[in-house]
Amino acid sequence: MAKNIQTEIEKLKNQIVYLGTAVQENMQKSVKALWGKDPDMAREVIERDKDEIDTFEINVEEDCLRLLALHQPVAGDLRFIVTVLKINNDLERIGDLAAKIADKVLLLHAIDPVKFASDAMQIPEMFNAMFEKTVWMFHNTMDAFVNEDTDLAYRVCLEDDEVDREKGAIRTQMEEIIMRDPSQHVYLAKLISVARSLERIADHCTNICEDIIYMAQGKIVRHHITR
């Protein structure tokens, strides 16, 4: 029985790695679609989220529940399965947020395709830093999970405040531009929403890392990590 559950646990781990890879690819593609003003790529992101990521998340949840029912695991095995259930949900939510960014590309294109595609519509440079930091958090979150690296998980959690500050700075800049030029309100409001989605992705990375710490150490650190 023990050998069987260890095989199933390794399978679950591989499933989360696969799901994480798919989500990261979609997240990067959603921002690439925004930078490139590419509605076709945005549609690909939305379709992959609906057809692959959402379906895979349901399958992982069903596998976790089956293991809990059949094997009644305890101690470390139980913590691992519970953690996978929670990480699985966070990854699906990150996938939804990537699709939400892609949806903003489609909305901007639908409002005024010519204007959206013009050189006049530029993505502010400060988005780059926020996006790179969010990708760093996600990549290292997955590394922390694979290697059960609690030190790395703590470092990811400590970066969340930086992403929050970058989002606040972007919002302030966008609102100042809108005050000077109300005609840009629709376009810039969509960019504020993109920044909010990136911030939420960082929040989910933090949630996952807190769960990794619980999985490895049996310690609940929510609300207790010093930033």
Side-chain angles (χ1 to χ4, degrees):
M1 181 71 75
K3 183 178 179 181
N4 288 340
I5 193 171
Q6 290 309 314
T7 300
E8 294 287 351
I9 281 175
E10 189 63 28
K11 177 184 172 184
L12 274 182
K13 188 173 186 178
N14 291 336
Q15 287 175 307
I16 288 296
V17 171
Y18 177 86
L19 181 59
T21 300
V23 168
Q24 181 169 338
E25 289 172 354
N26 237 25
M27 180 174 67
Q28 292 174 309
K29 188 177 282 189
S30 70
V31 176
K32 185 177 180 181
L34 179 65
W35 254 256
K37 303 174 182 177
D38 188 338
D40 291 334
M41 184 177 291
R43 291 186 190 95
E44 290 175 11
V45 169
I46 293 168
E47 287 302 311
R48 187 179 189 188
D49 180 64
K50 181 176 64 175
D51 295 341
E52 179 182 356
I53 292 172
D54 288 352
T55 300
F56 200 84
E57 182 261 343
I58 291 171
N59 292 338
V60 171
E61 180 175 336
E62 289 176 345
D63 285 346
C64 287
L65 296 176
R66 178 177 55 81
L67 279 181
L68 289 171
L70 290 178
H71 295 279
Q72 298 181 348
V74 296
D77 290 342
L78 178 60
R79 288 203 307 272
F80 179 85
I81 296 171
V82 169
T83 299
V84 165
L85 269 169
K86 296 172 73 176
I87 291 175
N88 185 51
N89 181 67
D90 277 307
L91 288 176
E92 190 273 335
R93 289 296 300 123
I94 293 172
D96 286 346
L97 289 162
K100 190 173 181 179
I101 293 171
D103 186 59
K104 294 299 177 290
V105 177
L106 298 182
L107 289 173
L108 288 166
H109 181 263
I111 290 167
D112 192 336
V114 175
K115 186 177 181 181
F116 179 56
S118 71
D119 292 337
M121 284 295 189
Q122 295 295 324
I123 309 299
E125 190 63 30
M126 63 195 310
F127 269 86
N128 276 328
M130 187 178 188
F131 176 63
E132 288 172 5
K133 180 68 69 176
T134 305
V135 170
W136 181 92
M137 288 182 68
F138 187 90
H139 176 77
N140 284 282
T141 293
M142 295 309 301
D143 277 356
F145 171 75
V146 170
N147 299 310
E148 297 186 22
D149 187 338
T150 56
D151 288 339
L152 182 55
Y154 274 109
R155 290 204 300 274
V156 171
C157 292
L158 294 174
E159 292 296 329
D160 187 45
D161 282 350
E162 183 62 30
V163 173
D164 290 347
R165 283 190 288 270
E166 289 171 352
K167 181 255 187 177
I170 287 171
R171 183 182 182 91
T172 298
Q173 185 189 63
M174 299 297 99
E175 289 175 346
E176 288 173 353
I177 296 172
I178 291 169
M179 290 288 290
R180 295 195 302 269
D181 184 3
S183 67
Q184 295 197 56
H185 177 270
V186 173
Y187 175 69
L188 296 181
K190 298 293 185 292
L191 293 185
I192 291 173
S193 179
V194 169
R196 189 181 303 116
S197 292
L198 290 173
E199 179 201 26
R200 291 295 299 131
I201 289 171
D203 289 342
H204 284 290
C205 289
T206 300
N207 292 345
I208 292 171
C209 284
E210 290 171 346
D211 289 332
I212 290 167
I213 294 166
Y214 166 75
M215 177 183 72
Q217 300 180 344
K219 182 167 61 175
I220 297 174
V221 296
R222 287 194 308 276
H223 318 305
H224 297 293
I225 293 178
T226 302
R227 291 173 165 83

